[in-house]
Amino acid sequence: MKVIIVYWTGGGNTEKMAGAIAEGAKSKGAEVVCKNVSEASVAELSGYDVVVFGSPAMGAEVIEEGEMEPFFSEALPGLGGKKVALFGSYDWGDGEWLRTWEDRVKDGGANFVASVKAHLEPDDDAIAECKAFGANLA
């Protein structure tokens, strides 16, 4: 099983979640690549069984608009039938950004499998949840 995790982080919260998800997937034998969106290419996503995207909630409950939104929008047409999972952190609100993102994945033809979120900086419980999330993806 090959898993790629592509994320955007501002203050490091989403990056911590990405690391824990990667650790969980590796614990189940998955081959995992974890990249900041600025280091990833849409073309490379086709070589993975599972694609995991991560972004904090920004502005009016949307994914990060400078890098993640354009990357995701470009990637979505090529994700048809591929397993896709989502994660991110938020400060206020109730997770609307993640639900909207899930709907975009489903409407885009990908096989949405799961999502996980953390309030602000992921605490020990949130990190454990991310590790379990990653293990379940593998």
Side-chain angles (χ1 to χ4, degrees):
M1 171 80 54
K2 292 177 69 177
V3 178
I4 187 166
I5 301 167
V6 179
Y7 67 91
W8 184 92
T9 193
N13 296 342
T14 307
E15 184 173 28
K16 288 178 186 173
M17 294 177 74
I21 292 166
E23 186 178 330
K26 287 177 185 176
S27 77
K28 295 296 184 181
E31 180 183 322
V32 181
V33 171
C34 190
K35 291 186 172 188
N36 187 295
V37 67
S38 65
E39 301 168 350
S41 74
V42 169
E44 73 185 296
L45 301 181
S46 65
Y48 292 87
D49 303 303
V50 181
V51 179
V52 186
F53 294 105
S55 173
M58 305 290 285
E61 291 258 2
V62 296
I63 63 175
E64 190 278 327
E65 296 174 294
E67 292 181 87
M68 182 54 78
E69 175 59 44
F71 185 90
F72 178 75
S73 291
E74 182 182 342
L76 186 57
L79 297 175
K82 191 169 285 291
K83 291 180 181 178
V84 176
L86 305 172
F87 70 97
S89 61
Y90 67 101
D91 181 2
W92 48 271
D94 67 353
E96 178 184 346
W97 103 102
L98 200 54
R99 291 189 303 275
T100 301
W101 204 3
E102 291 169 3
D103 289 343
R104 289 179 66 194
V105 169
K106 294 170 191 172
D107 293 345
N111 179 13
F112 173 73
V113 290
S115 66
V116 65
K117 63 185 176 192
H119 184 250
L120 298 171
E121 182 174 357
D123 59 14
D124 291 344
D125 289 342
I127 292 296
E129 187 176 357
C130 287
K131 288 178 182 176
F133 177 80
N136 287 335
L137 292 176

